[in-house]
Amino acid sequence: MRKQRPSYIVIGGGLAGLAATMKLCEDKAKVTLVSYQPVKRSHSVCAQGGINAAIDTKGEGDSPEMHFYDTVKGGDFLANQPLVRDMCHQAPAIIRLMDRLGVAFNRTPEGHLEFRRFGGTLYSRTAFAGATTGQQLLYALDEQVRRYEHDGQVKKLEWHEYLSAVLDSENICRGAVLHDLRTGEIFTVKGDAVVLATGGPSQVYGKTTGSTVCNGVATTSAYLQGAKYANGEFIQVHPTAIPGQDKLRLMSESARGEGGRIWVPKKANDSRDPLTIPEEERYYFLEENHPRFGNLVPRDVASREIHDVVYNKKLGVGGQAMVYLDLTHQSAGFLEHRLGGILDIYSKFTGEDPKKVPMKIFPAVHYSMGGIWTDYEDDGNGLIDHQSPRNQMTSIQGLYAAGECDYQFHGANRLGANSLLSCIYTGLMMGPGLISYSQNLRAHFEDVPSTVFDQARDQWQERMQGFRQMNGKENPYVLHQDMGNILLANVLIVRENSKLEKALTEINDLETRFKDVQCLDTTHWSNPAPSMIQQLHCQIQLAKIITRGALIRNEFRGAHYKPEFDLNQPKDFDPHEYVEYIEKKQYGEIQEEEFPSGHVAYMKRFEECNERWLKTTIAEHKNNQPEISFEEVNTSLVQPRPRKYD
Amino acid sequence: MPDDKIIRLKIKRQDQPDTKPYWQEIELPHKPRANVISCLMDIQMNPVTRDGQKVTPVVWECNCLEEVCGSCTMVINGKVRQSCTALVDALPQPIVLEPMSKFPMVRDLQVDRTRMFENLKKVKAWVHIDGTYDIGEGPVIPEKQRAKAYLLSECMTCGCCLEACPQFTKDNDFMGASTFSQVRLFNMHPTGAMESEERLETIMGEGGIADCGNAQSCVEVCPKKIPLTESIAEVGGETTLQLLKNLLLK
């Protein structure tokens, strides 16, 4: 018997990393928790609107099965279904746990949890704590982990950077190479497994709704070590953000969940004060085009509509890339109570009070549905076997991933308030599997020769020294900005192959310029310059994954919109027709006249498209380029069908 | 897009914790909606002082850039605040940037606030639960009480209240307003209250609430408008009761 307690290295202290740490500590494990900064400052704090769980407190008939259906439909059926279903079934228990941990969720008059509406569903399914739900959830988990730290089970390494996994001769992960951001020291830590909980990659795009640490570097490092990266091209552009110089600040979907309406003046370049524009001269385009879901269509749909109104119909407010998000019809007291935090952000950064004047907003890069590839094991009944060490393991044995940095759960488009859920869910769910992974290892890190760790450390010391000595003409921050601009111009809401090809060439040029970078600071104390160069190096690789994936995928699915491959759904089409069509097909030929005119042809196109493209994109690092292949998606529980949100 | 206006910055810099600080003046093209952080980011792209000297980019701490993470606290034109919400057009120039003075220096505008997190451990700022397994709902809580707790739970450990507090110095153990307010938060929660006595005992000791000089500067600088003085008064009252209880029972 091994005397040592199982021990793990968790990289990142957002919701997923903290949930995993808490769960592992409860199972008596030891955890080293690594973060760029104090974990309480992680990006999860930016999540605003809420967290989904189908508890059905309002008698609407909601259920975890409905939540599951809405989520896979919202993701345009690209997600592996057993995982999504398991998450939705666990969601009520997760909310109850977070409530017990003291999260200040809004309450009903009786003192129970209050729920509100969010995009992509017709049910009130979203629990919330004012409009800073992410912050409140993160603090609750941060407090639990602090308790374990106090008890000696958790060792925090804040102000440290993860550089790579330590792989032994069999390519099994035995630890991590870390970089002390104060002293500059590079060293290794050993563990039974490493968990990447490092969040999204939005900084690759430069200005986004992401925090500065959301750089995608840790997962790209894993990719460079041979791990598969999946669905990189699926980047969510959030419809409503506040333009800014340093960042595009999110304006939560909850603003629309609480009645916010999107509109533009019907007349182009209308310079009137918006409050004086009469109702009949306003174009509520989401409500007009989608009477059932209205302002709460999924994010990909809303962003495309805004893009269309601004660039094709030329109706942006004041001729600029902006539309109104209007809450002024709601009472000030109601808004303060339900949305206080986000309305404060708007007034602090724009100087205008959204309770009195409509907000001016525009879409911004927000979330990555794709990420490092992770495994799972279903239990044969459409749920997950929680004891399986395969759950959340990347394609490198012993290297795991959780939260936004993995690719599961959200398919081609994430629904609002599902990300907080998937982060906490993965962190908690993977715990038992990690423990059984440790217990079943034939050899542990204690048995691995120390040369394996020494070599990994030496390689990184040399590498970072190389970055420190770079003395070319290019400013790395300018290069980073240029990279973001390439992606923003070519790999965003509307994608065209000619522009994607151009972007790939430009990224390759950028990689050439990277060789001529200058390290702007060569001192040895608390110097971010060498790290920044190493991060930029990874981000260039990630930009290639995203762009190449987008180029190769010739279809329109969720957030990946290529007008050239739009299947042109007939206006009067009902998605249930497709289910009927598939059933009838099993019993013989389909007669055209059984369906409204043009529908069979459309359904045939849809079916062919799915046969070719309803697959996970896999990128693997070969010869300094991402090599793309495709993998089957598990759609065993719900028949994929055309989406419709009218 | 830059217009023809200029932003003037005066930045206090320090290379290492034990070296001498020095000042640098930097000018940048003005941009609409610029804030202090976007200025520091612009400096990274062209780190040159007003007199043409090439320098290293300024080191500072930031993350969310929307005033929910607590990272980017600094002293701007003499006032401690978050630098992300410090909009350039609302500030007199030159904009003077200094690190907080009450915490150990790391580099330039970056300081070490570990002490704040250690204090959270001392007062057990958490709800001690039996375990994470699904044992049912949390306690029923009236909305009014929840709203009160929410105000306190928005504390992002940014340190503004401590920088402004005359009682809180580099070389004493005073815990300060943010910690006392967290004691109030956890003592308010039905489950958290089960450890309220321990929390009160802790802040009755060294560096505790008795050292508060009631200057009330904490509440003035809190970016989240947390009712810190109210928290101090309430927790202060609770400690007095606890003291009496201790006297009677011992």
Side-chain angles (χ1 to χ4, degrees):
Chain A
M1 264 297 272
R2 189 184 183 204
K3 280 200 195 107
Q4 159 124 18
R5 281 202 241 172
S7 75
Y8 304 92
I9 303 156
V10 176
I11 315 294
L15 286 177
L18 292 174
T21 302
M22 172 177 78
K23 191 74 186 165
L24 290 168
C25 286
E26 190 171 52
D27 285 334
K28 307 283 181 271
K30 290 178 84 168
V31 177
T32 304
L33 180 58
V34 182
S35 170
Y36 283 120
Q37 63 203 347
V39 292
K40 192 174 180 176
R41 312 208 187 285
S42 301
H43 177 62
S44 303
V45 296
C46 287
Q48 299 170 341
I51 175 166
N52 286 336
I55 300 183
D56 194 34
T57 59
K58 297 183 190 297
E60 298 169 331
D62 198 10
S63 66
E65 288 297 313
M66 276 313 300
H67 185 187
F68 162 56
Y69 176 72
D70 282 340
T71 303
V72 289
K73 176 189 168 196
D76 223 343
F77 297 93
L78 196 61
N80 289 306
Q81 296 184 354
L83 262 176
V84 180
R85 183 161 179 258
D86 197 68
M87 171 177 82
C88 296
H89 278 263
Q90 293 294 318
I94 287 172
I95 301 286
R96 289 193 285 268
L97 169 63
M98 298 313 294
D99 186 29
R100 283 170 53 226
L101 293 180
V103 173
F105 284 119
N106 280 50
R107 302 276 158 176
T108 63
E110 198 187 319
H112 292 296
L113 298 177
E114 178 64 295
F115 288 83
R116 69 175 156 209
R117 289 274 315 275
F118 240 71
T121 181
L122 297 168
Y123 298 98
S124 306
R125 185 185 288 154
T126 307
F128 60 103
T132 61
T133 312
Q135 183 195 41
Q136 298 302 311
L137 294 171
L138 182 97
Y139 287 3
L141 294 177
D142 173 62
E143 287 147 11
Q144 295 303 312
V145 168
R146 186 167 293 106
R147 175 160 75 89
Y148 285 114
E149 187 192 12
H150 179 70
D151 297 345
Q153 261 182 278
V154 172
K155 183 182 174 194
K156 277 188 192 152
L157 291 177
E158 292 166 332
W159 304 108
H160 281 73
E161 173 178 40
Y162 167 85
L163 293 174
S164 79
V166 177
L167 305 182
D168 70 9
S169 56
E170 291 171 82
N171 237 21
I172 299 172
C173 174
R174 301 296 190 177
V177 186
L178 303 182
H179 181 205
D180 183 326
L181 295 174
R182 297 247 162 100
T183 64
E185 190 198 349
I186 289 166
F187 60 99
T188 56
V189 283
K190 302 175 182 185
D192 294 340
V194 172
V195 178
L196 300 180
T198 51
S202 55
Q203 284 295 325
V204 179
Y205 279 80
K207 277 204 292 184
T208 70
T209 67
S211 295
T212 56
V213 295
C214 303
N215 56 26
V217 168
T219 46
T220 312
S221 165
Y223 157 81
L224 294 173
Q225 285 189 293
K228 296 194 277 188
Y229 197 97
N231 287 345
E233 67 271 29
F234 289 96
I235 298 287
Q236 177 162 81
V237 180
H238 194 290
T240 62
I242 316 163
Q245 281 299 342
D246 52 339
K247 171 175 197 186
L248 307 172
R249 293 173 180 85
L250 177 66
M251 180 44 60
S252 167
E253 193 165 293
S254 57
R256 282 172 286 142
E258 300 291 7
R261 304 176 74 187
I262 302 263
W263 63 278
V264 289
K266 280 187 178 161
K267 202 171 78 192
N269 299 312
D270 192 331
S271 57
R272 283 178 292 175
D273 171 351
L275 293 173
T276 66
I277 299 179
E279 249 342 84
E280 63 275 12
E281 292 177 40
R282 300 176 177 193
Y283 181 23
Y284 292 99
F285 51 96
L286 291 179
E287 295 171 32
E288 280 188 29
N289 298 343
H290 307 274
R292 223 154 56 92
F293 283 77
N295 291 288
L296 288 173
V297 288
R299 292 172 178 176
D300 59 326
V301 179
S303 289
R304 271 194 296 280
E305 293 271 6
I306 294 172
H307 190 274
D308 180 57
V309 148
V310 166
Y311 292 110
N312 300 334
K313 302 200 170 76
K314 313 270 185 218
L315 288 175
V317 172
Q320 292 185 310
M322 280 188 284
V323 301
Y324 288 126
L325 168 54
D326 197 345
L327 281 163
T328 55
H329 53 286
Q330 303 283 37
S331 81
F334 172 83
L335 294 176
E336 196 48 56
H337 182 224
R338 311 272 289 206
L339 298 170
I342 53 167
L343 302 185
D344 278 353
I345 291 177
Y346 188 83
S347 34
K348 277 189 179 174
F349 286 96
T350 64
E352 292 182 342
D353 181 356
K355 298 198 274 298
K356 296 190 181 125
V357 290
M359 295 181 271
K360 284 180 243 170
I361 55 89
F362 198 67
V365 169
H366 182 56
Y367 187 89
S368 173
M369 277 69 74
I372 204 82
W373 181 93
T374 48
D375 201 2
Y376 65 92
E377 186 162 341
D378 65 49
D379 67 353
N381 293 311
L383 291 169
I384 297 300
D385 172 3
H386 290 188
Q387 302 303 319
S388 169
R390 280 173 53 196
N391 296 333
Q392 300 297 127
M393 196 194 281
T394 68
S395 55
I396 293 177
Q397 189 187 325
L399 182 65
Y400 288 77
E404 188 178 343
C405 76
D406 78 41
Y407 89 106
Q408 300 279 14
F409 306 101
H410 308 297
N413 169 64
R414 175 174 69 75
L415 291 188
N418 262 352
S419 61
L420 295 182
L421 175 62
S422 62
C423 286
I424 300 177
Y425 165 76
T426 45
L428 296 177
M429 181 273 275
M430 73 199 301
L434 275 163
I435 300 284
S436 73
Y437 174 72
S438 293
Q439 285 165 347
N440 292 316
L441 271 173
R442 275 179 294 113
H444 297 91
F445 64 81
E446 308 93 288
D447 312 315
V448 175
S450 63
T451 48
V452 168
F453 296 92
D454 295 346
Q455 273 168 12
R457 182 199 59 210
D458 294 350
Q459 272 171 13
W460 272 101
Q461 278 174 345
E462 204 175 304
R463 231 174 122 66
M464 292 302 278
Q465 183 61 15
F467 290 137
R468 185 186 292 276
Q469 286 168 347
M470 288 180 87
N471 195 20
K473 289 185 227 34
E474 297 278 358
N475 176 311
Y477 294 96
V478 173
L479 227 58
H480 177 253
Q481 182 178 263
D482 292 351
M483 176 180 66
N485 288 338
I486 296 170
L487 294 188
L488 288 174
N490 303 298
V491 202
L492 206 63
I493 298 175
V494 180
R495 298 168 173 191
E496 290 163 28
N497 283 344
S498 58
K499 285 175 106 182
L500 292 166
E501 269 164 21
K502 186 173 86 131
L504 274 180
T505 315
E506 288 176 6
I507 295 166
N508 284 332
D509 292 347
L510 200 90
E511 199 172 10
T512 311
R513 282 169 66 198
F514 174 83
K515 291 178 188 143
D516 194 33
V517 146
Q518 182 187 19
C519 184
L520 299 170
D521 187 346
T522 53
T523 59
H524 289 274
W525 170 255
S526 197
N527 174 8
S531 290
M532 194 274 164
I533 298 178
Q534 130 72 11
Q535 290 164 13
L536 181 61
H537 169 260
C538 284
Q539 289 179 327
I540 293 172
Q541 305 306 318
L542 186 48
K544 289 194 230 174
I545 298 174
I546 294 169
T547 311
R548 183 164 293 282
L551 175 64
I552 291 182
R553 183 176 282 275
N554 277 334
E555 66 157 349
F556 163 27
R557 186 179 300 277
H560 176 72
Y561 175 48
K562 277 189 180 174
E564 195 188 339
F565 299 96
D566 190 346
L567 299 177
N568 297 315
Q569 189 180 96
K571 284 251 173 299
D572 59 343
F573 184 75
D574 177 351
H576 290 106
E577 288 173 39
Y578 187 73
V579 182
E580 203 184 318
Y581 164 85
I582 292 291
E583 264 179 26
K584 283 193 170 160
K585 235 184 88 173
Q586 291 176 354
Y587 303 107
E589 273 301 294
I590 305 280
Q591 305 298 318
E592 288 274 349
E593 57 277 12
E594 288 177 67
F595 293 93
S597 153
H599 288 203
V600 171
Y602 165 69
M603 290 190 282
K604 277 188 178 154
R605 291 200 298 277
F606 181 83
E607 196 182 4
E608 278 164 23
C609 177
N610 272 359
E611 264 166 37
R612 173 68 188 88
W613 294 112
L614 179 47
K615 298 206 162 62
T616 302
T617 313
I618 302 290
E620 285 172 281
H621 186 59
K622 297 269 160 70
N623 304 321
N624 198 37
Q625 295 298 337
E627 188 179 271
I628 304 286
S629 58
F630 292 93
E631 194 178 273
E632 287 304 316
V633 177
N634 184 327
T635 58
S636 57
L637 304 172
V638 176
Q639 167 67 47
R641 65 197 74 174
R643 286 163 98 206
K644 189 168 184 175
Y645 288 99
D646 292 355
Chain B
M1 283 297 109
D3 43 44
D4 49 8
K5 285 187 277 179
I6 289 263
I7 302 171
R8 283 162 55 217
L9 297 158
K10 201 177 156 197
I11 305 169
K12 192 178 186 182
R13 305 199 53 175
Q14 186 169 340
D15 297 341
Q16 291 199 27
D18 52 358
T19 57
K20 270 183 109 169
Y22 55 96
W23 291 88
Q24 271 171 0
E25 289 188 47
I26 294 182
E27 288 184 350
L28 297 167
H30 176 269
K31 291 178 188 171
R33 292 189 299 269
N35 59 15
V36 164
I37 294 198
S38 74
C39 291
L40 292 169
M41 288 174 166
D42 281 348
I43 294 174
Q44 290 177 324
M45 294 199 222
N46 184 24
V48 177
T49 62
R50 205 175 144 199
D51 44 17
Q53 190 196 345
K54 258 197 118 174
V55 293
T56 56
V58 182
V59 176
W60 82 99
E61 198 180 321
C62 70
N63 194 33
C64 79
L65 314 183
E66 54 193 57
E67 211 173 64
V68 281
C69 78
S71 298
C72 68
T73 320
M74 52 185 87
V75 178
I76 300 170
N77 288 351
K79 192 186 166 221
V80 68
R81 59 178 298 177
Q82 301 306 114
S83 48
C84 59
T85 42
L87 304 184
V88 163
D89 291 342
L91 293 169
Q93 296 194 21
I95 300 167
V96 182
L97 306 181
E98 295 172 82
M100 283 193 281
S101 63
K102 301 284 182 76
F103 298 94
M105 158 60 55
V106 177
R107 188 178 168 185
D108 292 347
L109 301 170
Q110 199 178 78
V111 297
D112 185 342
R113 284 170 278 186
T114 305
R115 176 173 167 188
M116 294 189 76
F117 296 105
E118 288 303 313
N119 283 337
L120 293 177
K121 280 186 211 159
K122 283 189 197 159
V123 299
K124 303 199 166 174
W126 50 71
V127 173
H128 198 135
I129 56 160
D130 291 344
T132 64
Y133 298 95
D134 187 19
I135 56 171
E137 287 176 20
V140 168
I141 295 177
E143 170 58 24
K144 261 192 188 157
Q145 188 187 326
R146 190 293 307 183
K148 222 162 143 187
Y150 178 68
L151 282 182
L152 309 181
S153 67
E154 281 191 290
C155 173
M156 49 192 188
T157 325
C158 69
C160 286
C161 59
L162 306 180
E163 176 70 13
C165 171
Q167 227 59 44
F168 186 92
T169 65
K170 261 185 185 170
D171 42 21
N172 68 12
D173 288 327
F174 186 53
M175 292 181 203
S178 56
T179 311
F180 303 138
S181 192
Q182 290 290 300
V183 168
R184 181 183 176 208
L185 171 64
F186 288 97
N187 284 3
M188 252 165 86
H189 188 270
T191 318
M194 295 173 195
E195 287 184 299
S196 66
E197 284 192 12
E198 278 178 82
R199 288 192 199 95
L200 293 175
E201 297 280 356
T202 308
I203 60 164
M204 282 154 66
E206 208 181 324
I209 200 153
D211 295 348
C212 169
N214 203 21
Q216 313 218 348
S217 27
C218 51
V219 73
E220 281 166 31
V221 295
C222 176
K224 292 284 138 182
K225 300 196 177 75
I226 296 170
L228 293 168
T229 42
E230 201 182 290
S231 290
I232 292 171
E234 191 168 309
V235 177
E238 282 178 34
T239 52
T240 312
L241 282 177
Q242 185 67 29
L243 202 70
L244 287 171
K245 222 159 126 191
N246 289 355
L247 283 173
L248 292 173
L249 294 178
K250 268 173 198 168

